[in-house]
Amino acid sequence: MIPITGKAHDLGDGFFVTRLLPQATRRSIGPFVFFDYFGPVDFPSGRGIDVRPHPHIGLATVTYLFDGSQMHRDTLGSVQEIRPGDVNWMTAGRGIAHSERTGPDVRARGHRLHGIQSWVGLPLADEEAAPAFQHFAAADLPGHVDNNVHLRMIAGTGFGLTSPVKVFSPIFYADARFDAGGALAYATDHEERAFLVIEGEVETGPAQLHGPGAMLVLEPGEQVTLYAGAPARVMLLGGAPLDGPRHIWWNFVSSSRERIERAKQEWADGRFGLIPGDDKEFIPLPPNR
C-alpha cells in the first residue's frame, strides 16, 4: 500500500479542504483525476458556501456529502439540492458551467458541512460528449450488509453491486460504514484501488492502523482486508486507468492542450451560457500559470 498525503487549505470560517488528487506523487486513481475532501465544519446561522458559476470540460464531477447540503445549478437548467448519501454526477463533456451554494433555509439555521468533491476523467471517445446531469437519492443507491459492514455503491460496479449512475469507463466508488468488529475483504476485480478513512480507524494488518484522513493506494492484485474494532467509515474508489494522459488546468481536463486553450477563450467570451437562477456572478478566468 502506498500512502497519499493531502494538502489542507483553510478557506476561512474553519473550513478546511484537503486535496488528495492530483499531486506530484500520484496524478490519478483509476479514472479519478481530482479528489477534494472537505470539512467537517460547523457554519453559524447566516454563513455557508458560495461557489460561483464556473466552467468544466472533459470530466464528470461527483459530489457526495456526509453532513449538510448544497444547491446545484447548471447551464442545462438543473436545480438540485444534494443531501447526505445522495449522488450528483454532472457530465461536463464538451462544456458546462455550474454553481454550488448553501440554500437559504439551511444557511439561515446554520449547519455542518462535510463531504467530497471529485472529478472523473472521461475516455477519449467521450471527452466531447453532450453535457448531462444525474441525481440519485441515497435510497436509490444499491447496498448490502456483510460481516458488519454496511456498503453503498455510489457509482460503478463492485462488491456485487452496480449503481444506477451512468458511467463512461470501469469505475467503482463506494461508502462503507463499519460496525464494531466489521471486516471487508477488498476485492481485486479493479486494476487500481484506494481507500480513504473518514471516521474511526481501520486495520490492514499487524501494527497497520489508519485514522481519519488517511488515504492508501493498493498495489495491483494486493490482497487486503479492512478491519474496524470500533465504528468507522471508509470510502472505496478506483477502476481502470484512463486511456492516455490528461492535462488539467483550472477546471478543465483534456487529452489536448489546444482544447484547454479553446475552453479558456470560450469562458472568457461568455460562450458557456448562463445558469438560470444564478446568472449575476461568475468566477473569472484565472491568470495563466
Side-chain angles (χ1 to χ4, degrees):
M1 288 182 293
I2 302 170
I4 295 288
T5 302
K7 297 180 180 179
H9 301 276
D10 186 354
L11 302 185
D13 293 325
F15 183 45
F16 281 87
V17 174
T18 299
R19 180 145 305 163
L20 293 157
L21 292 175
Q23 53 180 280
T25 57
R26 187 81 190 199
R27 304 301 298 175
S28 61
I29 299 171
F32 289 87
V33 297
F34 177 97
F35 207 86
D36 266 5
Y37 172 56
F38 54 85
V41 60
D42 292 303
F43 286 109
S45 175
R47 305 299 288 269
I49 294 298
D50 285 294
V51 182
R52 294 170 291 158
H54 59 282
H56 291 286
I57 66 164
L59 56 86
T61 66
V62 188
T63 303
Y64 192 77
L65 299 180
F66 306 113
D67 291 292
S69 73
Q70 290 182 345
M71 185 64 71
H72 165 97
R73 286 182 168 85
D74 61 40
T75 45
L76 298 174
S78 311
V79 179
Q80 179 65 58
E81 183 179 23
I82 181 170
R83 298 182 177 92
D86 298 351
V87 58
N88 267 18
W89 175 292
M90 184 184 75
T91 301
R94 62 176 177 258
I96 196 170
H98 73 135
S99 64
E100 291 178 299
R101 300 181 186 268
T102 302
D105 293 342
V106 175
R107 188 185 300 263
R109 65 175 179 261
H111 70 294
R112 167 168 285 202
L113 185 63
H114 186 198
I116 295 171
Q117 178 73 41
S118 57
W119 298 352
V120 175
L122 300 180
L124 292 172
D126 299 299
E127 285 189 302
E128 297 295 320
F133 177 75
Q134 303 174 76
H135 174 85
F136 290 92
D140 297 327
L141 300 176
H144 64 214
V145 182
D146 188 37
N147 287 334
N148 290 324
V149 179
H150 306 252
L151 194 142
R152 177 187 293 128
M153 187 59 57
I154 300 165
T157 299
F159 306 96
L161 302 169
T162 297
S163 166
V165 175
K166 178 188 175 183
V167 297
F168 294 83
S169 63
I171 185 177
F172 73 98
Y173 191 23
D175 182 351
R177 290 176 296 136
F178 290 70
D179 293 331
L184 174 73
Y186 204 154
T188 60
D189 49 356
H190 283 278
E191 186 173 351
E192 296 187 354
R193 298 165 296 148
F195 66 87
L196 171 66
V197 181
I198 303 299
E199 298 169 353
E201 295 179 322
V202 295
E203 298 177 36
T204 54
Q208 294 181 340
L209 194 63
H210 313 286
M215 177 178 258
L216 283 298
V217 179
L218 278 62
E219 301 283 1
E222 184 177 5
Q223 301 279 349
V224 171
T225 295
L226 307 181
Y227 172 78
R233 191 170 195 173
V234 179
M235 301 299 287
L236 312 169
L237 65 141
L242 288 168
D243 49 357
R246 293 298 187 273
H247 306 289
I248 301 178
W249 188 90
W250 192 37
N251 301 312
F252 304 138
V253 173
S254 179
S255 60
S256 165
R257 292 189 187 277
E258 291 74 19
R259 181 64 181 90
I260 289 178
E261 291 302 315
R262 180 153 58 91
K264 292 181 188 180
Q265 194 60 52
E266 289 171 348
W267 183 245
D269 293 342
R271 284 186 278 157
F272 274 79
L274 296 175
I275 298 174
D278 197 351
D279 59 359
K280 307 302 182 187
E281 298 182 291
F282 66 93
I283 300 176
L285 195 74
N288 278 312
R289 59 184 189 273

